[in-house]
Amino acid sequence: MKVGVVGVTGAVGREMITDLADSGLDIEVVPLASARSEGAVIDFRGKSLKVRAFSIELLKGCEFTLMSAGGDFSRNHAVEISSAGSVVIDNSSAWRMDPTVPLVVPEVNPDDLQFGVGTKRIIANPNCSTIQLVVPLSALKNAFGIQQVIVASYQSVSGTGQKGISELAAQVQGHFSFKEPPPQVYSQPIAFNLLPAIDKIDLAGHCFEEEKIIRETRRILKLPDLQILATTVRTPTFNCHGEAVSVRLARKVTLDQAKELFRGAKGINFIDSTDASELPTPRMVAGDRAVWVSRVRLPLDADESDWLQFWVIADNLKKGAATNAVQILELLAAGGCGQNHDEAND
Ligand SMILES: NC(=O)c1ccc[n+]([C@@H]2O[C@H](COP(=O)([O-])OP(=O)(O)OC[C@H]3O[C@@H](n4cnc5c(N)ncnc54)[C@H](OP(=O)(O)O)[C@@H]3O)[C@@H](O)[C@H]2O)c1
């Protein structure tokens, strides 16, 4: 099977190559990026592959194309690539709210991997902070029902790609010699700081990252009216996003019932510990493919409650991007995708 990877030199693209290499799939990779990277070399399963500048001809014969080259690239090229024969699995925000494009997290809504006749053969990967949120929310929804979600995120600089990583590294290094470079990627210095909004802020005061979490979560969980209150914060960490989540359930539960659910939930690594040294942190979780849930608790002094609190953390470049995309590819390659017959009959 031939698989194109567009954006292969980027923060997400590099992880896609690792995840594809670790998958059991028998694949030939076509590694593409911008003209800036023409001739760069990547390793795939011990073989050196030359990166080529993107052109549609190079993707001929690819059954799948994984894309992480940004929203503009995607809007300009995804349809063309899918018309040339590839199923496109796209990491950007370009197609996530298009009702004809499935928005999929394999543990949550694999049945949405369907294409209607005549629709684009594009699948959207959700935003990194959405993916790790919907995995535990979906388990709670299916077991108890959910009515309201309050989430505050703590998001690393790799969420902004290679340029975010470089800016934090340069500011940290420069800080102690009084040569800290001024911010270029972020609106204020990110080193030793917290930025209380991610991306642009709209006139009503919500930032785009908050809008993405809210709209994508509602779509994936098929709860269009779910009330979600989100606050997204950029932190001076290199990798992994953490989220402090409070959920109001449709019925009261005990702590044991909630823990039992997370213990058996698909895709979740549940840490049932009150020892702070065992709690999952960005440095503990970096490079891992799971969604980690810990600090599960009810409101203070409650024996049972319809409110539940927890901490969820995942590697934004892995499960938040590359791993989710490769899992979608694995599902499709195994035949887990079909034509939507309802639409086919229309
Ligand atoms: N970082 C995350 O946690 C995360 C999570 C979920 C989704 N995403 C999304 O994934 C996409 C990539 O993010 P990233 O963090 O990997 O960014 P990045 O580190 O800046 O990498 C961007 C990649 O896109 C390539 N590229 C840019 N313009 C191109 C063009 N015109 N033609 C072909 N390739 C082009 C770059 O190639 P060169 O190296 O040649 O410039 C590079 O390989 C974005 O849409 C982002 O929103 C990111």
Side-chain angles (χ1 to χ4, degrees):
M1 185 166 73
K2 225 169 142 184
V3 177
V5 180
V6 187
V8 74
T9 50
V12 173
R14 283 196 294 266
E15 296 299 335
M16 282 175 168
I17 288 296
T18 311
D19 278 28
L20 284 172
D22 290 350
S23 77
L25 299 170
D26 183 9
I27 38 180
E28 179 190 337
V29 165
V30 179
L32 305 178
S34 78
R36 291 180 289 273
S37 300
E38 174 85 44
V41 174
I42 60 148
D43 176 85
F44 181 69
R45 292 179 176 161
K47 262 192 176 165
S48 295
L49 303 181
K50 270 211 172 121
V51 176
R52 305 284 309 275
F54 166 77
S55 87
I56 191 79
E57 284 72 33
L58 293 171
L59 290 172
K60 291 254 161 72
C62 287
E63 289 172 66
F64 296 99
T65 296
L66 300 182
M67 297 213 323
S68 63
D72 287 345
F73 180 90
S74 223
R75 273 182 286 275
N76 291 334
H77 297 288
V79 172
E80 184 190 16
I81 294 170
S82 103
S83 304
S86 270
V87 172
V88 172
I89 303 170
D90 181 45
N91 262 279
S92 80
S93 58
W95 303 99
R96 291 179 191 150
M97 297 313 292
D98 181 329
T100 68
V101 170
L103 180 68
V104 176
V105 177
E107 295 89 339
V108 178
N109 60 337
D111 294 344
D112 287 350
L113 279 176
Q114 308 271 342
F115 303 114
V117 168
T119 58
K120 306 174 263 296
R121 295 203 313 152
I122 301 172
I123 292 149
N125 222 33
N127 184 34
C128 37
S129 35
T130 305
I131 292 176
Q132 66 180 63
L133 179 63
V134 295
V135 172
L137 285 187
S138 151
L140 290 169
K141 175 197 159 196
N142 293 340
F144 310 125
I146 58 175
Q147 297 197 328
Q148 189 182 13
V149 178
I150 302 173
V151 53
S153 76
Y154 303 72
Q155 299 186 217
S156 67
V157 294
S158 63
T160 321
Q162 192 51 51
K163 57 185 186 297
I165 298 169
S166 302
E167 181 146 311
L168 175 60
Q171 287 179 357
V172 168
Q173 279 168 358
H175 189 79
F176 294 105
S177 49
F178 304 101
K179 286 183 192 149
E180 186 180 311
Q184 290 184 324
V185 175
Y186 299 112
S187 48
Q188 296 192 44
I190 182 65
F192 310 104
N193 212 356
L194 292 171
L195 309 183
I198 295 181
D199 211 332
K200 295 192 183 85
I201 304 173
D202 69 18
L203 290 176
H206 299 276
C207 66
F208 285 6
E209 186 77 359
E210 289 156 1
E211 285 189 26
K212 284 181 202 170
I213 291 184
I214 294 165
R215 296 194 199 289
E216 293 176 22
T217 298
R218 286 175 175 161
R219 184 172 177 211
I220 294 164
L221 295 181
K222 301 182 176 62
L223 294 174
D225 300 321
L226 180 66
Q227 189 182 43
I228 306 174
L229 309 177
T231 304
T232 56
V233 178
R234 185 72 72 196
T235 59
T237 46
F238 282 107
N239 208 5
C240 299
H241 297 342
E243 292 171 341
V245 187
S246 304
V247 188
R248 189 157 69 82
L249 305 166
R251 67 174 173 87
K252 289 185 175 180
V253 297
T254 64
L255 188 56
D256 282 345
Q257 286 171 324
K259 286 182 176 180
E260 203 47 44
L261 176 76
F262 285 132
R263 206 168 276 123
K266 213 174 166 190
I268 289 180
N269 197 350
F270 176 51
I271 304 298
D272 184 11
S273 175
T274 51
D275 178 345
S277 70
E278 293 177 354
L279 298 178
T281 61
R283 287 175 60 161
M284 186 190 292
V285 165
D288 192 83
R289 294 187 173 115
V291 172
W292 294 59
V293 171
S294 64
R295 300 220 51 218
V296 175
R297 60 207 191 275
L298 301 181
L300 193 65
D301 297 333
D303 293 327
E304 58 171 10
S305 176
D306 54 356
W307 279 102
L308 187 72
Q309 289 177 271
F310 59 92
W311 169 245
V312 59
I313 183 164
D315 186 328
N316 51 292
L317 298 176
K318 287 285 192 190
K319 184 57 185 168
T323 301
N324 199 70
V326 171
Q327 287 169 338
I328 290 172
L329 189 153
E330 286 172 333
L331 262 184
L332 293 172
C337 168
Q339 211 157 68
N340 181 331
H341 295 294
D342 290 344
E343 288 192 46
N345 288 336
D346 280 345

